């Protein structure tokens, strides 16, 4: 798919969502896997916009691309915000998930949903760019 | 679909109808409606979510905010949620703290 480049603002989340939906449709992912990828990309993009740019007083762009192979759909988000590894946030554990809402911490839910939503997630920082890489196996491969 | 949140107070029950996509760009609107409801000290919060098609962690955080703002004694009902949105609520453990129902008697 042709990559897109969008301003790193929350208003771009809608366009990012449309791009992911188009990619997951082309990949033939089932409803659960397609939604998981859309959710994961939304969470990562939100992290980039809020932590990588806005809280750092920066402005910039997010590049999003989708690569389809016989076995998987890979979505890659690239940005020039401050180095930020989403995996540095502690995801809630089983005990946290059972806490009453009034006792829950609001942190870590995003990365939790990322890790639950896709088959593989990785992050790297190179040459001034953050790269978040999300992979969903295509149905025929996932079932084999 | 664009996000919308509509509040209706009936007696002391706050009902909020949520539609569209609830993520970080729309969560401030949801939070604003929760605050409007909270000042009326409802005894119960009913969230009508049949037409909510997307729910990200920013929306979940507003639910936590709602419980913390209104108090532990105010029960939260999630009504009509289905598919992946319901899956997100359950995966995140929210079904331990809110009542999840297909329908609500006065909905």
């Amino acid at each position: 798919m042709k990559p897109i480049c969008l301003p790193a603002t929350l208003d771009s989340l809608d366009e990012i969502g449309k791009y992911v939906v188009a990619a997951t449709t082309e990949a033939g992912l089932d409803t659960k896997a397609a939604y998981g990828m859309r959710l994961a990309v939304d969470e990562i993009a939100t992290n980039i916009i809020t932590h990588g740019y806005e809280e750092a007083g920066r402005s910039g762009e997010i590049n999003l691309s989708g690569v389809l192979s016989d076995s998987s759909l890979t979505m890659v988000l690239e940005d020039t915000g401050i180095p930020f590894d989403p995996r540095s946030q502690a995801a809630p554990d089983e005990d946290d998930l059972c806490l009453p809402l009034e006792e829950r911490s609001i942190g870590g839910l995003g990365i939790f949903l990322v890790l639950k939503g896709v088959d593989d997630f990785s992050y790297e920082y190179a040459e001034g760019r953050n790269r978040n890489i999300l992979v969903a196996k295509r149905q025929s491969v996932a079932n084999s | 679909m664009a996000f919308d949140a509509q509040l209706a107070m009936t007696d002391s029950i706050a009902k909020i109808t949520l539609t569209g996509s609830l993520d970080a760009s729309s969560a401030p609107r949801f939070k604003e409606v929760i605050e409007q409801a909270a000042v009326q000290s409802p005894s119960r919060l009913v969230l009508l979510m049949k037409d909510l098609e997307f729910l990200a962690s920013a929306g979940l955080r507003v639910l936590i905010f709602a419980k913390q703002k209104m108090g532990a004694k105010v029960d939260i009902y999630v009504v009509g949620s289905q598919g992946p949105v319901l899956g997100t609520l359950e995966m995140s453990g929210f079904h331990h703290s809110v009542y999840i129902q297909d329908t609500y008697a006065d909905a």
Side-chain angles (χ1 to χ4, degrees):
Chain A
M1 292 183 69
K2 188 180 173 186
I4 57 170
C5 183
L6 296 164
T9 64
L10 292 175
D11 287 343
S12 293
L13 290 178
D14 187 47
E15 204 59 39
I16 288 170
K18 287 176 184 168
Y19 184 88
V20 179
V21 168
T24 57
T25 301
E26 190 175 331
L29 298 188
D30 66 21
T31 302
K32 186 180 175 190
Y35 187 91
M37 177 61 91
R38 184 186 167 196
L39 182 55
V41 171
D42 183 279
E43 297 291 350
I44 292 297
T46 298
N47 265 336
I48 292 169
I49 293 162
T50 54
H51 300 306
Y53 285 108
E54 290 182 353
E55 289 173 5
R58 293 189 184 191
S59 60
E61 294 170 331
I62 295 180
N63 290 286
L64 175 61
S65 59
V67 178
L68 200 54
S69 74
D70 288 344
S71 60
S72 63
L73 169 67
T74 301
M75 307 290 303
V76 180
L77 295 95
E78 289 191 353
D79 67 271
T80 56
I82 60 168
F84 182 77
D85 184 347
R87 298 169 302 184
S88 64
Q89 298 173 301
D93 61 21
E94 283 301 317
D95 289 341
D96 296 325
L97 296 177
C98 293
L99 284 175
L101 289 193
E102 58 272 22
E103 295 175 21
R104 291 274 296 256
S105 159
I106 60 168
L109 274 171
I111 187 62
F112 173 79
L113 294 176
V114 170
L115 297 174
K116 290 284 187 184
V118 294
D119 292 305
D120 190 51
F121 170 70
S122 58
Y123 165 85
E124 61 194 32
Y125 185 78
E127 297 174 349
R129 296 176 77 81
N130 294 288
R131 292 186 87 222
N132 288 276
I133 303 156
L134 305 100
V135 181
K137 291 176 185 169
R138 298 179 75 182
Q139 198 65 16
S140 56
V141 174
N143 288 342
S144 64
Chain B
M1 192 201 303
F3 176 75
D4 193 25
Q6 293 293 331
L7 169 65
M9 288 294 299
T10 308
D11 298 325
S12 63
I13 298 173
K15 289 181 192 166
I16 300 176
T17 303
L18 302 172
T19 55
S21 176
L22 176 50
D23 61 15
S25 65
S26 48
R29 165 66 185 152
F30 181 32
K31 189 175 178 185
E32 186 181 291
V33 174
I34 290 290
E35 286 173 331
Q36 287 171 8
V39 296
Q40 299 180 62
S41 302
S43 60
R44 178 181 291 183
L45 174 63
V46 179
L47 300 171
L48 305 172
M49 291 173 46
K50 180 171 65 72
D51 295 319
L52 187 70
E53 61 184 30
F54 184 75
L55 173 61
S57 65
L60 295 176
R61 283 192 286 275
V62 177
L63 286 182
I64 293 174
F65 168 79
K67 192 74 175 177
Q68 294 175 348
K69 181 90 176 171
M70 293 180 181
K73 289 183 180 172
V74 177
D75 289 330
I76 298 179
Y77 287 72
V78 168
V79 180
S81 182
Q82 52 197 327
V85 169
L86 177 58
T88 299
L89 285 167
E90 292 178 338
M91 186 193 306
S92 308
F94 279 57
H95 59 301
H96 296 305
S97 295
V98 304
Y99 296 96
I100 293 178
Q101 299 182 176
D102 291 337
T103 58
Y104 186 78
D106 298 316

